[in-house]
Amino acid sequence: MAAESTFPGVAGTSSNPFSPTSGTSSAMQRLIEEEESDPNSSPMDPKTRGENPNVAAAAREPPSNAAADEAPTEAARNRQVSAVQGFPSNYALGRRTSVSAESINPSSSATDNWTPPVHAKTDEQLTRLKTAIASNFLFSHLDEEQTATVLAALVEKPIPVKDIKVITQGDVGDYFYVVERGEFDVYLNPSGTIQPGPDGMGTKVGTIGPGGSFGELALMYNAPRAATVISTVSGSCLWALDRLTFRRILMDSTFQRRRMYENFLEEVPLLSTLTPYERSKIADALDSQKFSSGSTIIREGDRGEAFYLLESGEAEAYKGGIEGPVCFYKKGDYFGELALLNDAPRAASVVSKTDVKVATLGKDGFQRLLGPVEGIMRRNDYSLPNVPAQTQEVAG
């Protein structure tokens, strides 16, 4: 049996407000909501409701004797229901209730007074932390400033023994975790929460090792923990990122990256006929790569796995048997499409003339998202030497 965890931030399993077995939820479902047409209980002004002010004023007149006689009966009934359901005696059962959630507005994140937390680290800790996040996809799109903010905000969480529940299915999410060392098993219970008994965690569905991460789903979607994660070896170590920093840095970076690519794609002639929605879907699927001057980006004869859009810099295409470059590329140009269109090896090599940055789209995304411009791309002919890129369809 797994040992009970005293890990910081882990709440008891009974605290899940979304549990289908929660007594509070079933009680709340029995609340009596006021009628929309009841002017006495509605907080809205008559003008706002579009009512006749005279009628509304009349409705606020003291009730008749008959109504006064009935009022105590209604109040008594509410007190009785409150007592049965466990609510305070003065709880307004007749009032409407509302549910609110945490707001996400990445575009306004730069205008508030939020200050990211800073936790001092030794050089040795910083080196270990950089190694731990180096291969994690959630950090791959951060710029230097964002990476520094995240590194400063992460907190080391040693896990000294096995069988420690780091997160518990059904609990409220409070931290995102990156594994530095050790292994952690993931368990899923179909009920949505951990249950009593030796098999209460459910079925093991995976294991997370060094460089992996977990806990992001609850923070991204404002949902309860989707699974239970438990340590399997002694001497493990995690790095924890608090909920607010995770949402403000990692989610905001995703939003800003999407806006950047949408703006870039608007300037690409090939994609000018696409709708904004189609371009936004492409933006979500793009990844960035940088190449120094003289680097081979794609090699003739290799299998095609990606499509490239040149974000900055210049590049040239070379073809075996032809002296000199057969194509020149500048910002907004694209290459690598022929191998994907024809399911054939690369038709030419592309070499960076300067330091370049390219946006890449994988084969699956290329086939799924660029169907509307396939005809334009098929007109390209790389057999003509010394022709600027994407003008070859005009030349022949």
Side-chain angles (χ1 to χ4, degrees):
M1 169 146 346
E4 288 299 322
S5 171
T6 57
F7 198 84
V10 177
T13 58
S14 62
S15 64
N16 175 22
F18 301 95
S19 170
T21 59
S22 171
T24 303
S25 296
S26 59
M28 293 294 287
Q29 291 170 2
R30 294 193 296 268
L31 289 179
I32 302 172
E33 296 190 354
E34 70 178 27
E35 294 293 336
E36 290 289 343
S37 59
D38 182 0
N40 290 316
S41 57
S42 174
M44 297 180 65
D45 184 87
K47 297 176 184 177
T48 306
R49 292 167 58 95
E51 298 171 348
N52 188 320
N54 296 328
V55 174
R60 290 193 293 270
E61 290 295 324
S64 64
N65 291 337
D69 291 339
E70 293 176 2
T73 303
E74 179 68 16
R77 189 178 72 82
N78 279 345
R79 284 194 295 271
Q80 290 172 356
V81 174
S82 297
V84 172
Q85 296 181 354
F87 295 108
S89 59
N90 61 345
Y91 191 88
L93 288 174
R95 294 299 296 261
R96 288 193 302 267
T97 59
S98 62
V99 177
S100 61
E102 184 175 0
S103 174
I104 305 177
N105 187 4
S107 61
S108 65
S109 62
T111 63
D112 59 22
N113 297 320
W114 175 73
T115 302
V118 176
H119 301 283
K121 298 174 180 65
T122 64
D123 291 341
E124 183 264 344
Q125 282 180 310
L126 202 55
T127 300
R128 289 192 287 113
L129 179 54
K130 288 180 178 179
T131 302
I133 70 170
S135 59
N136 192 287
F137 76 98
L138 285 172
F139 298 92
S140 62
H141 302 302
L142 300 182
D143 59 31
E144 292 183 4
E145 181 179 354
Q146 291 169 329
T147 300
T149 301
V150 170
L151 290 175
L154 283 161
V155 182
E156 186 174 8
K157 299 286 186 181
I159 310 295
V161 297
K162 61 181 297 187
D163 294 334
I164 293 293
K165 291 190 188 77
V166 181
I167 64 175
T168 302
Q169 186 178 3
D171 281 356
V172 175
D174 45 15
Y175 286 95
F176 163 72
Y177 298 97
V178 178
V179 180
E180 179 187 343
R181 64 175 180 271
E183 290 190 344
F184 297 82
D185 285 345
V186 183
Y187 289 85
L188 183 65
N189 192 305
S191 69
T193 60
I194 193 170
Q195 301 296 317
D199 299 323
M201 291 190 298
T203 305
K204 178 182 172 181
V205 295
T207 300
I208 302 172
S213 59
F214 57 90
E216 71 276 8
L217 294 181
L219 307 189
M220 290 172 67
Y221 300 111
N222 256 346
R225 292 295 194 189
T228 298
V229 178
I230 185 171
S231 60
T232 60
V233 296
S234 301
S236 299
C237 184
L238 296 170
W239 290 90
L241 186 66
D242 68 277
R243 177 189 186 93
L244 185 57
T245 304
F246 174 88
R247 293 170 70 86
R248 297 304 299 274
I249 297 297
L250 295 185
M251 292 184 68
D252 182 66
S253 71
T254 301
F255 174 82
Q256 298 298 341
R257 175 173 164 270
R258 181 181 185 183
R259 290 291 297 273
M260 176 192 72
Y261 275 132
E262 285 178 341
N263 292 336
F264 167 66
L265 294 177
E266 287 178 357
E267 301 174 2
V268 177
L270 171 70
L271 307 178
S272 61
T273 59
L274 298 183
T275 66
Y277 174 76
E278 289 171 326
R279 283 196 293 268
S280 72
K281 300 303 289 184
I282 295 173
D284 287 340
L286 291 175
D287 287 314
S288 284
Q289 284 185 272
K290 293 181 179 180
F291 294 91
S292 58
S293 177
S295 299
T296 300
I297 303 173
I298 62 175
R299 191 179 304 275
E300 184 178 2
D302 284 355
R303 181 179 179 182
E305 297 291 350
F307 168 71
Y308 298 83
L309 290 160
L310 194 59
E311 292 188 57
S312 63
E314 298 179 354
E316 298 172 327
Y318 294 87
K319 194 170 177 62
I322 300 178
E323 184 177 354
V326 296
C327 235
F328 301 102
Y329 301 99
K330 61 184 185 306
K331 178 181 177 181
D333 290 337
Y334 60 90
F335 54 89
E337 76 286 357
L338 293 183
L340 303 185
L341 288 170
N342 303 320
D343 197 21
R346 295 294 190 190
S349 297
V350 176
V351 179
S352 56
K353 186 177 179 181
T354 64
D355 289 347
V356 302
K357 183 179 180 182
V358 294
T360 65
L361 183 64
K363 187 174 184 178
D364 290 342
F366 175 85
Q367 295 172 339
R368 175 169 46 89
L369 299 170
L370 290 182
V373 294
E374 178 179 343
I376 298 175
M377 291 188 288
R378 286 191 179 278
R379 294 202 294 261
N380 289 337
D381 182 3
Y382 292 96
S383 63
L384 301 174
N386 302 320
V387 179
Q390 280 75 71
T391 62
Q392 297 122 351
E393 66 256 28
V394 178

